[in-house]
Amino acid sequence: MVAIARAFRRAAARDYGRGGTGEVSVKRIVVVANRLPVSWTGDKWTTSPGGLVRALGPILQDAKGAWVGWPGIADFAPEPFEYGGIEQRPLALSEQEVAGFYYGFCNGTLWPLYHDALAPPAYHRRFWYPYRNVNDRYARAAAECLFTGDIAWVQDYQLQLVPGMLRTLRDDVTIGFYLHIPFPPIELFSRLPWRAQIIEGLLGADVLAFQTRASVANFAKAAQRYGDATPVSRYELRWRGRRIRLQRAPIAIDTPHFERLARSESVQRRAAQLRHELGNSSRIILGVDRLDYTKGIDLRLKAFASLLDRRGCEERCTFVQIAVPSREHVPVYQELRRTIEQLVGRVNGDHGEVGWVPVSYLYRSFDLEELIAYYVAADIMLVTPLRDGMNLVAKEYVASRCEPTGVLVLSEFAGAAEQLRTALIVNPHDVDGVAAALEAAIDMPAAEVESRMKRLIRTVRRETVFDWAEGCLALLDR
Ligand code: ADQ
């Protein structure tokens, strides 16, 4: 256990500029995830953006690890290769598998069901069978590259059957599972026609980790009801003679990297330019999300309109909403995009004036430095998902504060609310309540802004993505 933990500290120390121990982990770690950490651009591989990839890269290099995943293009079957010091094991998915497994069961059934059924989940056998078959293929691909004593670390809702399938193939390895999205309350989970199979699949793991205490408790209840698991304690179950540990492991970000970029001259210059381009409006309110119905962007726009109704427009607040395109082929996402664009038009039409556009809506992806420049420029960060496993944007905003300034308005339904307690916590369904929180943020005395933000910064610095990965793997490395 110590060896892997040290490898983590060394990776983290690199970022904080401290020295490492030079020790190398003895166990291999094989990550099994829907997607590979690299993407094919047509003529070469590049590393995909994201904290998980950045956090696990150094660890997998040290642990001589491998990564099993889909390269993201249908019917594309490259041979295993090495990239970034990691053995990449591509798993090919056909057009039909992508339709049934990924768009069907993952995004049409599980995603809405696990997010409070905010959109109606679709229960179709034509989605379930591909999900089962594709999970079986991931399990076999992982089994092929694991050695006795290795750790298989399975990621997220797309692969919930893999732990059980892998255990029947390889009982000589340790299996971990991490769920990035919420595990739903029993009242919702019960609706799933394949609930017993999902529970049995998950119970194949030695350690199951979740973002929040609520998700741990929800899973424990479902495992008892649909898997006949016996509770030993709040964080331990017994099932078919095996001990299964549950863990609350809230995901974090690469805080030092965000801090460094936020302080850089180029980002500071860009932030000043953005403020200037926004007409030096008195307050910049920012939203940053994947365009997804779980993120509550439409209600947020209504809350901003309600703020303008209350305060008039003398203050010239500007709301910048950055939305990264997501699942664009799916009708419910296309509909959401239309709704949001109409709302933006309506708020600007109702409240704007010549020379002042209240809502700036940017529908595209940004590179990290540009995104951080927006975080630096923003006075108020509005993070109001209707349900979210964690929400990294909230943590990224805090990590980008060079000084303890700025106010975070955060939904009580984001996993992040369990940790970021000095944010202004809101119910995102309560449009007037969110508008009132925005008013409170605008009027908040500087001393209160500072004390709230100082505590948020402390929390985000204390637990980085390296600590998160270390915590998860430490339980597996026994
Ligand atoms: P997501 O639902 O994708 O992740 P989130 O945690 O907010 O949600 O992460 C989004 C990421 O995308 C952030 O790192 C953000 O910087 C980036 N991003 C957003 N808009 C962008 C833009 N326009 N351009 C570039 N980058 C942009 C899932 C779960 C979450 C959980 C994470 C991690 O749904 O609840 O926090 O996994 O476990």
Side-chain angles (χ1 to χ4, degrees), residues 49-52 111 115 156-157 178-182 211 250-253 258 287-292 294-295 321-327 362-368 371 375 383 387-394 396 414-416 468:
L52 182 66
W111 180 266
H115 288 91
D156 224 359
Y157 66 106
Y178 189 82
L179 188 68
H180 290 258
I181 66 173
Q211 302 268 26
I251 199 165
I253 58 166
F258 276 85
V288 174
D289 310 81
R290 249 184 340 96
L291 192 84
D292 194 287
T294 59
K295 303 292 183 183
Q321 174 64 54
I322 297 177
V324 65
S326 180
R327 302 171 197 167
L362 308 169
Y363 179 68
R364 72 192 84 124
S365 193
F366 284 83
D367 71 28
L368 192 58
L371 193 62
Y375 288 146
V383 183
R387 178 61 70 190
D388 217 332
M390 175 53 54
N391 195 293
L392 296 178
V393 167
E396 291 170 2
W468 167 80

Side-chain angles (χ1 to χ4, degrees), residues 186 189 199 203 216-234 236-239 246:
I186 193 98
F189 185 71
I199 291 295
L203 287 171
V216 171
N218 290 344
F219 174 75
K221 205 164 174 188
Q224 289 166 61
R225 187 171 305 173
Y226 299 116
D228 276 334
T230 315
V232 177
S233 71
R234 196 191 295 181
E236 191 175 327
L237 298 170
R238 261 207 168 262
W239 187 67
L246 309 180

Side-chain angles (χ1 to χ4, degrees), residues 26 81 86 198 231 266 294 312 372 402 405 410 427 434 458:
V26 285
F81 59 99
I86 300 168
I198 294 285
S266 58
T294 59
I372 295 177
C402 300
T405 55
L410 179 62
N427 171 2
V434 175
R458 220 176 297 140

Side-chain angles (χ1 to χ4, degrees), residues 153-167:
W153 197 20
V154 184
Q155 304 288 316
D156 224 359
Y157 66 106
Q158 299 94 348
L159 303 181
Q160 292 174 100
L161 302 178
V162 168
M165 290 169 163
L166 186 53
R167 181 157 301 281

